Amino acid sequence: MALKIAVVPGDGIGPEVLAEGCALLRDLDRTLDLGLVFDEKDWGAERWLKDKVGMPKGALEQLEREVAAVYFGALGDPRIPDMAHGREILLGMRQGLDLYANFRPCKCLHESLSPLKGKGPREIDMLVFRENTEDLYVALGGTFKQGTVDEVAQDISINTRKGVERILRHGFDTARARPRHDGMKKLTMTDKHNAVRFGGGLWKRTFDLVKGDYPDVVAEHLYVDVLAMEMVRKPERFHVVVANNLFGDILTDLGAALMGGLGLAASGNIHPGKIGMFEPVHGSAPDIAGKGVANPLAAFWTASLLLDFLATKDATLAPRLLRAARAVDAAVSACVAAGPRTPDLGGSARTKDVGDFVRAHVGSTLAA
Ligand code: ATP
């Protein structure tokens, strides 16, 4: 069976890093016969400016029908300050495809990348899940007397039992199936139910209910302010962390900083069992776009997450897809340890130098 990947390079450095990521995926496909088929989309600022189309009509249905996963670059363009195209495309996919589980590995690959004294790869190794379809991001609310001194603004946070339960169960399933390097199987749920009573209360009650089904996973609850402090003070406490949309948004950026910055951070947005959309955490970085210096490591790591996801969709291909993913992980680690580094990681290498190193490393791993 062919596994079709929709490729959405987008804007700014998106196309630069995805070109490297796709070249790597094509190499892997040739070497391991993974059955990958690429379907490149021109969704982004240029098309929006030309004909005001973000995602063409019928695109979501086509993705649902034909595509196993989406490989996404970045959206953002100074000519569209309100990011209208980004909202239509990115939020369109998240909501339209019900990609409820956003996850980001927060794993430090090398001592030299850690901003924390005495904490490195052994201590900083967690997976943060962010609920991706509810909370304050549903665009419900409004303003009253806008533009006057009496203006009132309201954003509504939506939390549903179904939404909370499914992200928690996915987090517990992951903690159980993929223990940390040291064997730790633990899930930390975070909320703020002492102050945010109703939504927070629903999260806490659902957590207390669901954890009973996972006696082999240590289940811990922390208020989000305490969790933020502990992620910096004692990151080795954490394996899987689950948070709502807003807290998850903030905590995952903290996580990106712990692992060495945006040039490395990868993410997935998935509906387990259905489709997944995989993107580097960074944006379009207009300040460096077109200069050939963007770090492609986040895009490579993202490709590895995508391969892992594809392995859940095809049992026959799974061993080869997983072998490919592990070869990419090894190459990314080798690159930060002893390979070329782009300026964001303190080096002077170019995007292409890092790409060439990673592809060569993957090639020799698979040939061994
Ligand atoms: P957007 O509006 O698309 O979010 P942004 O510039 O506000 O763009 P990011 O794109 O995430 O946000 O970039 C934040 C900073 O990190 C910028 O200075 C950018 O150059 C840097 N940066 C982000 N990604 C990378 C990368 N892959 N390689 C090197 N630097 C990066």
Side-chain angles (χ1 to χ4, degrees):
M1 188 184 87
L3 290 168
K4 190 185 264 192
I5 301 173
V7 178
V8 186
D11 309 328
I13 63 169
E16 299 172 39
V17 296
L18 242 58
E20 294 294 333
C22 286
L24 175 66
L25 286 170
R26 284 182 203 280
D27 281 0
L28 289 163
D29 186 38
R30 261 192 305 276
T31 312
L32 294 170
D33 195 14
L34 300 176
L36 304 183
V37 174
F38 297 87
D39 176 10
E40 186 157 333
K41 309 287 188 191
D42 65 350
W43 308 341
E46 289 308 331
R47 182 157 182 192
W48 178 265
L49 290 168
K50 203 162 65 115
D51 52 20
K52 277 279 173 299
V53 169
M55 202 186 298
K57 261 203 175 60
L60 276 179
E61 292 74 11
Q62 189 241 342
L63 293 178
E64 266 179 322
R65 218 177 32 245
E66 299 175 14
V67 165
V70 181
Y71 190 30
F72 190 90
L75 288 173
D77 189 297
R79 294 169 296 173
I80 314 173
D82 65 355
M83 265 286 268
H85 71 309
R87 270 200 310 280
E88 185 175 317
I89 301 168
L90 207 51
L91 299 184
M93 274 194 280
R94 282 188 190 156
Q95 292 291 348
L97 300 172
D98 198 23
L99 304 174
Y100 67 84
N102 173 281
F103 67 99
R104 300 186 188 180
C106 163
K107 188 174 160 78
C108 177
L109 294 182
H110 194 262
E111 301 287 342
S112 64
L113 298 173
S114 168
L116 304 178
K117 198 163 47 163
K119 311 281 182 190
R122 288 203 73 73
E123 291 80 18
I124 304 172
D125 180 9
M126 65 191 98
L127 188 58
V128 183
F129 282 99
R130 162 184 173 190
E131 200 294 317
N132 216 19
T133 56
E134 301 193 341
D135 191 22
L136 281 167
Y137 292 63
V138 294
L140 286 177
T143 54
F144 178 52
K145 297 188 179 175
Q146 189 174 340
T148 74
V149 290
D150 295 320
E151 179 164 348
V152 177
Q154 187 188 38
D155 292 282
I156 299 172
S157 167
I158 296 285
N159 297 268
T160 67
R161 163 67 191 267
K162 179 182 133 198
V164 175
E165 182 167 347
R166 65 185 182 173
I167 187 73
L168 281 170
R169 286 202 182 276
H170 185 62
F172 273 111
D173 288 338
T174 307
R176 171 179 274 172
R178 294 172 54 182
R180 216 169 81 145
H181 63 77
D182 54 3
M184 185 196 269
K185 276 194 227 169
K186 178 174 173 186
L187 181 142
T188 306
M189 191 283 276
T190 186
D191 63 24
K192 189 70 187 159
H193 70 262
N194 50 349
V196 185
R197 282 175 50 213
F198 305 109
L202 173 62
W203 271 81
K204 180 66 168 58
R205 279 181 276 111
T206 310
F207 170 70
D208 287 338
L209 213 95
V210 170
K211 72 181 183 191
D213 292 340
Y214 298 86
D216 52 325
V217 178
V218 177
E220 166 188 62
H221 170 264
L222 286 181
Y223 291 123
V224 69
D225 42 350
V226 180
L227 175 72
M229 195 173 64
E230 285 297 283
M231 272 176 72
V232 172
R233 215 179 62 84
K234 228 174 165 213
E236 63 273 24
R237 273 185 72 170
F238 303 112
H239 171 217
V240 169
V241 175
V242 181
N244 70 15
N245 212 336
L246 176 65
F247 296 151
D249 191 0
I250 299 164
L251 292 172
T252 48
D253 269 23
L254 171 57
L258 291 183
M259 57 190 273
L262 283 173
L264 278 162
S267 79
N269 303 268
I270 64 171
H271 187 120
K274 289 193 186 168
I275 193 170
M277 194 262 278
F278 296 83
E279 54 176 334
V281 169
H282 62 73
S284 61
D287 54 336
I288 55 165
K291 297 189 176 148
V293 294
N295 190 345
L297 289 177
F300 289 139
W301 198 337
T302 299
S304 154
L305 300 181
L306 185 150
L307 291 163
D308 275 336
F309 179 75
L310 292 182
T312 66
K313 300 187 77 82
D314 188 314
T316 314
L317 286 172
R320 278 178 271 159
L321 290 160
L322 294 174
R323 189 164 164 231
R326 296 299 74 78
V328 175
D329 294 348
V332 170
S333 293
C335 189
V336 294
R341 285 188 176 192
T342 42
D344 58 305
L345 295 184
S348 57
R350 302 184 60 77
T351 309
K352 193 176 167 313
D353 303 327
V354 177
D356 290 347
F357 178 95
V358 167
R359 283 207 304 285
H361 195 283
V362 165
S364 51
T365 303
L366 295 178

